[in-house]
């Protein structure tokens, strides 16, 4: 395509909309590619790919209950994406999001069902979210200190705190916070009526709104405020930031507090809005799959919302399709992997094309 | 408690430590090669799973455990080849591709297992131990450490081999340069992409062997998701080791001891929850870092794709 045709086709559109359309176009190709390739895998398994993806679309995007499940799942995922955007933009690779999520979830699940008997529900919900932010931030404190004052690589420490937190949360559920009224190892359950309110009479949890507000706020903070600029300078070049008079250690601590705190909040929203309790050994590993999506969104909040919606719909749709067609749920992993690789290839190709145009 | 520490118990304990250490050692050494060459290989969990599946499948189909190890190495290298193609050749983001390959390998191996073995659950024969003459006669240590499967000795023999490779050979120097100053290597007339490709393939091979050890020697079966974080611990070991193979071995022994301690304590009748024991190695390393932490020296160009002429 030559430059003229590009200008002709997108002539009247405002630049921001044009960019959004280009991004959407760049995601559509990889999606189709991933569906075709994983469709071939389905053929090998003697399953009709059209049946399978028919169910995926029907459940994930078309049926009212499926859409509501998709939107509800987006709440915690958006918070995790916001958590990673803050850290990644500041050049800090927080790979411990799953433990931050679980620690927030476990403490809220232990605390909220007890408190709800003594305090008004709205107060319990607000306090629970504050608790989860504090717990998440505490869990991120050690890697933050080690990074800020000892210069120890945060990939190692957050990965280790991740293993530690996954084991600790399941130990807490089994040994400390176990519901005495049941033999199943799980925490007490928050009654459905005392959870986060649903939106407009649907089954969509208002966790979605919390997620959207937070990720937009984070995007605004990182791109439009002085504090965000400072963090981006630290991320781009810590030495230059020191020379510019910024206190890199303090900013590092702040980044970890926000990022890990939001990770904890994601756990709280999952419990307060959807699950109501934590079972032993529960680990949805959301953060692990959100990491590549945030990279592909190039740390942009709007793009991250799009990818999170896509991922959420695919997850909800595939779970249903797998159940109906007796395909093991592992198959979703193959689709997600193909999608990630193809998205990365397309992203790279688009970047090369932009670079070539620029020269 | 005195009755607890019978000879048989101590032998079982030491043997368990060795069995848990070998996969971690192979994963750590493998990751170390990639990191030296400047590739942050987050995909090794996937390589290990593919190695575990490939190893089990070939060993089961051929009836030969050694061929199984070859299959495991090839399985790991297939994932390594994808990693090399996407990250080294095409310069895609290493973290995105690494996570994608791990998820993909989890899915593919679990599906293959479901299609082939979910109704059969075949077990492999036990690999015959090779007693080392003389050393295997020592009481307790002999049967625990020197009457082992030959692959165990080979895994530990890799440590001095790698020390020599990194310190004394031109290949070792080129690996180091590819990670620290790729442009200098390029100027010297050596292809950075070639060195990094070799490094990632070697990682796949070693990590694949580690996975094959899990399925062929340690378990005798393949179970979906059986690597259970071993690959990620390998990443931690390689980063803590700062380029030294001997440190990888030390770290692998510490983690291996803690991982095997759970089973040992349960056999001994001490009821400590698995979750608590599994936390121990991480608590230990975090404590060490907090007290004696210094900068973990990582290659300067780690994680960055090399594009000729770009600065």
């Amino acid at each position: 395509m030559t430059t003229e045709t590009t200008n002709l086709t997108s002539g009247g559109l405002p630049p921001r909309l044009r960019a959004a359309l280009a991004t959407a176009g760049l995601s559509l190709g990889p999606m189709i590619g991933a569906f075709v390739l994983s469709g071939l895998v389905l053929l090998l398994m003697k399953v009709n790919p059209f049946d399978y993806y028919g169910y995926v679309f029907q459940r994930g995007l078309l049926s009212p209950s499926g859409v509501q499940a998709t939107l509800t799942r987006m709440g915690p995922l958006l918070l995790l994406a916001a958590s990673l955007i803050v850290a990644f933009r500041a050049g800090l690779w927080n790979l411990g999001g799953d433990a931050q999520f679980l620690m927030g979830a476990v403490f809220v699940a232990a605390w909220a069902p007890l408190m709800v008997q003594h305090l008004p529900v709205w107060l319990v919900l607000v306090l629970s979210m504050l608790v989860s932010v504090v717990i998440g931030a505490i869990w991120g404190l050690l890697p933050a200190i080690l990074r800020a004052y000892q210069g120890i690589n945060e990939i190692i420490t957050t990965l280790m705190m991740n293993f530690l937190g996954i084991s600790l949360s399941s130990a807490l559920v089994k040994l400390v916070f176990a519901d005495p009224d049941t033999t199943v190892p799980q925490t007490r359950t928050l009654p459905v009526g005392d959870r986060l309110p649903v939106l407009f009479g649907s089954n969509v949890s208002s966790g979605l709104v919390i997620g959207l507000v937070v990720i937009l706020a984070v995007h605004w903070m990182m791109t439009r405020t002085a504090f965000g600029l400072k963090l981006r300078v630290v991320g781009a070049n810590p030495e230059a930031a020191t020379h510019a008079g910024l206190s890199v250690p303090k900013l590092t601590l702040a980044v970890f507090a926000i990022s890990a705190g939001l990770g904890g909040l994601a756990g709280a929203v999952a419990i307060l809005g959807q699950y109501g309790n934590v079972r032993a050994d529960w680990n949805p590993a959301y953060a692990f799959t959100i990491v590549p999506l945030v990279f592909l969104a190039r740390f942009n909040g709007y793009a991250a919302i799009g990818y999170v919606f896509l991922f959420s719909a695919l997850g909800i749709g595939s779970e249903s399709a797998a159940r109906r067609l007796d395909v093991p749920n592992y198959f979703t992993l193959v689709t997600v992997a193909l999608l990630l690789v193809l998205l990365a290839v397309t992203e790279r190709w688009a970047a090369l094309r932009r670079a070539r145009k620029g020269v | 408690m005195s009755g607890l520490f019978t000879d048989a118990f101590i032998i079982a304990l030491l043997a368990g430590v060795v069995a848990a250490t070998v996969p971690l050692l192979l994963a750590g050494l493998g990751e170390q090669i990639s990191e030296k060459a400047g590739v942050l290989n987050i995909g090794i969990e996937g390589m290990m799973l593919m190695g575990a599946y490939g190893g089990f499948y070939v060993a089961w189909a051929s009836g030969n455990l050694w061929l199984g190890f070859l299959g495991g190495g090839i399985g790991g290298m297939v994932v390594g080849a994808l990693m090399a193609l996407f990250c080294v050749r095409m310069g895609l983001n290493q973290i995105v591709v690494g996570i994608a390959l791990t998820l993909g390998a989890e899915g593919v191996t679990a599906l293959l297992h479901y299609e082939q073995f979910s109704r059969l659950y075949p077990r492999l024969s036990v690999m015959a131990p090779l007693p080392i003459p003389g050393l295997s006669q020592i009481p307790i240590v002999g049967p625990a450490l020197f009457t082992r499967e030959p692959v165990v000795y080979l895994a530990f023999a890799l440590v001095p081999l790698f020390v020599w490779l990194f310190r004394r050979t031109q290949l070792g120097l080129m690996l180091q340069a590819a990670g620290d100053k790729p442009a200098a290597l390029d100027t010297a007339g050596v292809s950075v992409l070639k060195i990094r490709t070799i490094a990632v393939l070697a990682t796949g091979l070693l990590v694949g062997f580690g996975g094959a050890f899990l399925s062929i020697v340690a378990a005798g079966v393949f179970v979906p998701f059986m690597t259970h974080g071993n690959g990620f611990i390998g990443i931690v070991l390689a980063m803590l080791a700062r380029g030294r193979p001997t440190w990888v071995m030390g770290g692998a022994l510490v983690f291996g001891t803690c991982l095997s301690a759970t089973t040992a304590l349960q056999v001994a009748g001490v009821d400590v929850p698995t979750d608590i024991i599994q936390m121990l190695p991480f608590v230990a390393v975090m404590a060490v870092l907090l007290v004696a932490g210094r900068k973990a020296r990582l290659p300067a160009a780690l994680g960055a794709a090399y594009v000729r002429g770009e600065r």
Side-chain angles (χ1 to χ4, degrees):
Chain A
M1 210 194 295
T2 66
T3 339
E4 283 107 299
T5 50
T6 328
N7 286 341
L8 275 179
T9 47
S10 51
L13 297 172
R16 193 172 277 185
L17 185 60
R18 202 190 305 163
L21 282 177
T23 312
L26 285 182
S27 321
L28 204 62
M31 268 176 69
I32 295 169
F35 285 164
V36 169
L37 286 175
S38 45
L40 293 177
V41 178
L42 282 174
L43 278 179
L44 286 177
M45 296 169 63
K46 300 186 184 66
V47 174
N48 184 341
F50 293 101
D51 286 354
Y52 183 88
Y53 286 109
Y55 283 130
V56 170
F57 278 105
Q58 202 200 343
R59 171 76 183 163
L61 293 173
L62 301 176
S63 84
S65 66
V67 174
Q68 291 174 10
T70 298
L71 293 176
T72 297
R73 183 176 287 189
M74 279 180 74
L77 296 182
L78 286 172
L79 288 165
L80 283 169
S83 149
L84 296 176
I85 286 174
V86 176
F88 291 179
R89 282 220 179 204
L92 294 170
W93 309 116
N94 175 11
L95 298 183
D98 280 324
Q100 291 149 15
F101 174 94
L102 281 174
M103 293 308 282
V106 165
F107 275 88
V108 163
W111 192 79
L114 288 178
M115 281 302 116
V116 88
Q117 297 165 8
H118 308 291
L119 296 172
V121 173
W122 67 269
L123 188 62
V124 173
L125 293 177
V126 172
L127 287 178
S128 298
M129 286 192 260
L130 286 177
V131 165
S132 70
V133 171
V134 172
I135 295 286
I138 290 174
W139 200 252
L141 190 64
L142 205 50
I145 293 174
L146 287 172
R147 169 77 212 192
Y149 298 106
Q150 313 257 29
I152 292 171
N153 185 295
E154 73 284 359
I155 295 180
I156 316 176
T157 52
T158 53
L159 269 178
M160 281 198 292
M161 292 302 278
N162 210 30
F163 285 111
L164 200 53
I166 291 168
S167 297
L168 179 62
S169 62
S170 109
L172 285 173
V173 169
K174 286 176 199 161
L175 304 174
V176 186
F177 299 142
D179 184 352
D181 298 333
T182 159
T183 50
V184 186
Q186 62 180 39
T187 64
R188 288 186 177 81
T189 307
L190 188 65
V192 176
D194 296 339
R195 297 187 191 167
L196 287 173
V198 290
L199 295 173
F200 319 114
S202 68
N203 280 326
V204 181
S205 165
S206 47
L208 172 68
V209 177
I210 300 175
L212 283 172
V213 168
V214 167
I215 198 167
L216 291 176
V218 159
H219 187 78
W220 176 79
M221 178 185 88
M222 295 309 289
T223 54
R224 295 282 182 276
T225 66
F227 180 66
L229 179 66
K230 283 182 195 167
L231 296 188
R232 281 187 289 144
V233 172
V234 174
N237 191 339
E239 280 160 33
T242 309
H243 285 296
L246 299 176
S247 168
V248 176
K250 278 190 189 137
L251 288 171
T252 303
L253 292 182
V255 168
F256 264 103
I258 299 172
S259 177
L262 288 177
L265 182 60
V269 166
I271 297 309
L272 298 174
Q274 198 182 351
Y275 293 98
N277 64 17
V278 175
R279 295 177 179 201
D281 301 317
W282 180 67
N283 175 20
Y286 286 149
F288 186 59
T289 27
I290 291 293
V291 167
L293 296 184
V294 168
F295 269 103
L296 292 167
R298 283 188 280 154
F299 315 152
N300 179 307
Y302 298 110
I305 295 174
Y307 281 125
V308 164
F309 172 71
L310 183 70
F311 177 72
S312 185
L314 184 65
I316 296 285
S318 313
E319 280 160 24
S320 156
R323 240 189 339 268
R324 291 202 216 180
L325 291 173
D326 199 26
V327 176
N329 210 5
Y330 314 128
F331 179 73
T332 314
L333 292 169
V334 179
T335 315
V336 171
L338 286 167
L339 182 62
L340 289 176
V341 168
L342 290 174
L343 281 168
V345 171
T346 319
E347 224 281 319
R348 178 76 187 156
W349 171 77
L352 283 177
R353 220 175 56 143
R354 275 196 304 274
R356 218 173 291 142
K357 266 187 195 167
V359 172
Chain B
M1 284 295 277
S2 64
L4 184 72
F5 291 100
T6 59
D7 287 359
F9 177 73
I10 296 174
I11 290 170
L13 185 69
L14 284 175
V17 170
V18 173
T21 300
V22 169
L24 296 174
L25 176 66
L26 289 168
L29 288 175
E31 176 73 16
Q32 190 163 51
I33 300 177
S34 272
E35 281 186 14
K36 257 199 194 290
V39 181
L40 177 64
N41 205 330
I42 299 269
I44 71 168
E45 185 80 17
M47 294 178 190
M48 207 165 189
L49 258 180
M50 207 58 109
Y53 178 81
F56 176 77
Y57 179 79
V58 174
W60 170 79
S62 69
N64 184 328
L65 301 182
W66 286 100
L67 275 180
F69 266 91
L70 190 67
I74 292 172
M77 268 171 91
V78 168
V79 183
L82 289 172
M83 182 97 196
L85 170 70
F86 291 130
C87 295
V88 179
R89 299 279 156 176
M90 296 172 66
L92 303 185
N93 185 302
Q94 293 172 5
I95 292 182
V96 175
V97 172
I99 291 179
L101 288 179
T102 295
L103 293 176
E106 283 177 353
V108 167
T109 53
L111 280 181
L112 286 168
H113 174 263
Y114 172 84
E115 292 285 314
Q116 292 175 300
F117 301 122
S118 64
R119 285 161 215 88
L120 303 168
Y121 277 103
R123 279 196 84 86
L124 296 174
S125 55
V126 178
M127 188 176 248
L130 174 74
I132 294 185
L135 289 174
S136 59
Q137 304 302 316
I138 307 171
I140 298 176
V141 181
L145 304 185
F146 299 110
T147 314
R148 302 306 306 253
E149 299 80 5
V151 282
V152 172
Y153 309 131
L154 290 176
F156 281 95
L158 284 174
V159 177
L161 179 73
F162 277 23
V163 171
W164 172 78
L165 184 83
F166 291 152
R167 287 233 192 105
R168 298 263 180 254
T169 68
Q170 194 161 12
L171 183 64
L173 192 65
M174 290 193 285
L175 281 172
Q176 182 109 36
D180 275 337
K181 195 114 182 99
L185 186 64
D186 204 359
T187 314
V190 182
S191 162
V192 176
L193 301 191
K194 193 170 134 197
I195 294 295
R196 286 187 171 181
T197 305
I198 292 171
V200 173
L201 286 175
T203 301
L205 182 71
L206 281 177
V207 176
F209 285 152
F213 185 89
L214 279 174
S215 62
I216 296 176
V217 177
V221 289
F222 178 82
V223 186
F225 308 99
M226 73 182 300
T227 50
H228 205 77
N230 267 278
F232 286 106
I233 298 177
I235 298 175
V236 170
L237 290 177
M239 285 194 156
L240 289 172
R242 300 180 207 167
R244 298 188 189 100
T246 45
W247 283 37
V248 173
M249 185 173 72
L253 281 167
V254 171
F255 278 81
T257 307
C258 290
L259 288 179
S260 61
T262 324
T263 2
L265 286 173
Q266 276 164 353
V267 170
V270 185
D271 188 29
V272 183
T274 321
D275 298 310
I276 305 275
I277 302 281
Q278 279 173 347
M279 284 159 52
L280 290 180
F282 302 104
V283 173
V285 176
M286 288 304 288
V288 169
L289 284 178
L290 198 62
V291 176
R294 276 172 297 158
K295 290 193 185 227
R297 204 207 71 88
L298 295 174
L302 186 65
Y306 179 68
V307 181
R308 183 176 281 179
E310 201 175 65
R311 306 207 313 144

